[in-house]
Amino acid sequence: MPYWMKLMENAKERPLSTEKINWKELESKVFMPVFKRIPVTLVRGKGTKVWDDTGKEYLDFVAGIAVTSLGHCHPVLVKALKKQAGTLIQTSNLFYTIPQLQLAELLVKTSCLDYAFISNSGTEAVEGAIKLARRYGKVKLDGAYEIITTMNSFHGRTLAATAATGQNKMQEPYTPLPTGFVNVPFNDIEAIKNATTRITCAVMLEPVQGEGGVNVPADDYLKKVRAWCDEKGILLILDEVQTGIGRCGSLYAHELFGVEPDIMTLAKGLGGGVPIGAFLAKESACVFKKGEHGGTFVGNPLVCAAAFAVLSYILDKKIPEHAAKMGVYLEDGLKKLAAKHDVITEIRGKGLLIAVKFKSEIAEQVLLACLENGLLVNNVKLDAIRLMPALNVTKKDIDKALAILDKVLQERR
Ligand SMILES: *Cc1c(COP(=O)(O)O)cnc(C)c1O
């Protein structure tokens, strides 16, 4: 008898029963042990608040890792999902569908790029950007295929994105990785120049490194990289999966640095919580032909309707401007805390993507103490926490988060 039939016959063993379940224990039995989780099971969210399975409330300054840009279950997102869920969910890309094209049009009209492709995640957006750069190399650059990326970057978990990610600990378990990537130090134009050869087809960077610890480059770094790419005729890919869609206080972070990419990737904040990504390209870089890229789910009506509603709202309400203001307010507050607590050594970031660096490796302790006090933060490094609340966060929320952080650091003394 197949396993599933046995299980259905023995009703007592059925999963999802209503009795009290220890979710941590269940995870250890059935889910692959890849996540180092914080010991909290979240069950509900509204705006900047979430609740766990014991009913405890938290102020959420993680926001699904810079994803729930309008807060949890924003009415605009919920309404769009409900409407589309009752209309059309999945068709494959054998057919035209309307939400996909509306989203692509909005993305193209509000950016310096000409064509969009919708994907399911950030790593898939990056994978698509890599494939497009390779096609460009093959068609326009005499077969050049190598992509220069930076150390401490993060580009995703697929094999090519892992090869692009300049972090040894992520690469080492999976060697041999796809070839064609060189990792050089971030914020170092000479390193990029020295790594450029006749097989280089592109440079790929995050305008601000997110997972690497919120590392902001010098103001003129991206401009210098842009000029170098132009001089050499190679592509500049900006990975804005984390920095895009208002996170850094402008719709795209590259606008803050006064450069335009040839290819840009997006994901995290794009759908306000639904899994979606995208990559966009200038007409000159868009060398794909029919059949050269695709996907079953990519750009399906459900997620595209959600992202279209979220992005429209973000634009209508000028949310990037609000994020810029709230970013300054949060940073000022954190600087006041830094003046009071000498365990804080640096505040760095752009807009609502901010890291607080400590003198020693206490990020996890600080995270757990914040948790205890009803605040979710992320320990992006052993010695730094990252704050990335919803983009429509209020001063009141920020004051509350700062008060909890102040208390936590006070009690550590
Ligand atoms: C999170 C992230 C990715 C990967 O996105 P997933 O949706 O997790 O695959 C890629 N690039 C950057 C810059 C990211 O922050």
Side-chain angles (χ1 to χ4, degrees), residues 152-353:
N152 280 315
S153 60
F154 183 75
H155 297 293
R157 298 281 189 166
T158 52
L159 278 179
T162 299
T165 292
Q167 298 190 47
N168 240 336
K169 66 169 198 278
M170 286 185 188
Q171 298 184 336
E172 196 276 327
Y174 298 105
T175 52
L177 289 168
T179 52
F181 296 91
V182 272
N183 307 140
V184 303
F186 186 58
N187 197 22
D188 181 346
I189 181 65
E190 292 308 316
I192 288 177
K193 289 184 177 176
N194 291 334
T196 306
T197 67
R198 63 184 176 76
I199 61 164
T200 307
C201 68
V203 175
M204 179 162 69
L205 302 168
E206 297 157 87
V208 175
Q209 290 186 329
E211 299 305 303
V214 190
N215 306 315
V216 183
D219 285 342
D220 60 354
Y221 173 63
L222 288 182
K223 270 200 180 133
K224 287 180 180 163
V225 178
R226 178 69 271 179
W228 178 251
C229 290
D230 288 343
E231 191 181 326
K232 291 287 152 184
I234 59 179
L235 300 175
L236 175 60
I237 306 170
L238 290 181
D239 182 350
E240 295 234 26
V241 165
Q242 186 155 160
T243 53
I245 315 294
R247 176 54 52 186
C248 291
S250 183
L251 187 58
Y252 301 112
H254 64 255
E255 297 161 349
L256 300 167
F257 293 100
V259 299
E260 294 188 359
D262 300 298
I263 302 175
M264 168 172 74
T265 57
L266 297 173
K268 292 191 165 84
L270 176 58
V274 300
I276 190 168
F279 66 103
L280 286 82
K282 293 249 190 203
E283 179 154 28
S284 54
C286 193
V287 296
F288 275 153
K289 293 211 165 55
K290 297 216 182 289
E292 289 183 350
H293 195 51
T296 305
F297 295 116
V298 293
N300 102 358
L302 185 70
V303 293
C304 287
F308 180 74
V310 167
L311 184 56
S312 300
Y313 184 89
I314 285 175
L315 295 164
D316 280 350
K317 301 285 174 192
K318 299 197 171 70
I319 299 280
E321 269 179 33
H322 177 78
K325 278 189 204 130
M326 290 304 106
V328 169
Y329 187 73
L330 176 57
E331 206 174 319
D332 285 350
L334 290 168
K335 282 186 178 147
K336 280 183 197 134
L337 286 190
K340 191 170 158 193
H341 303 281
D342 54 10
V343 67
I344 299 179
T345 57
E346 190 187 359
I347 311 293
R348 58 186 185 227
K350 281 256 183 231
L352 284 171
L353 184 62

Side-chain angles (χ1 to χ4, degrees), residues 70-100:
L70 298 180
H72 293 280
C73 302
H74 192 281
V76 160
L77 171 60
V78 173
K79 192 175 153 210
L81 277 171
K82 278 188 177 159
K83 182 163 178 244
Q84 193 59 44
T87 306
L88 186 67
I89 294 177
Q90 160 75 9
T91 60
S92 87
N93 285 293
L94 297 171
F95 308 95
Y96 295 92
T97 48
I98 295 166
Q100 181 188 93

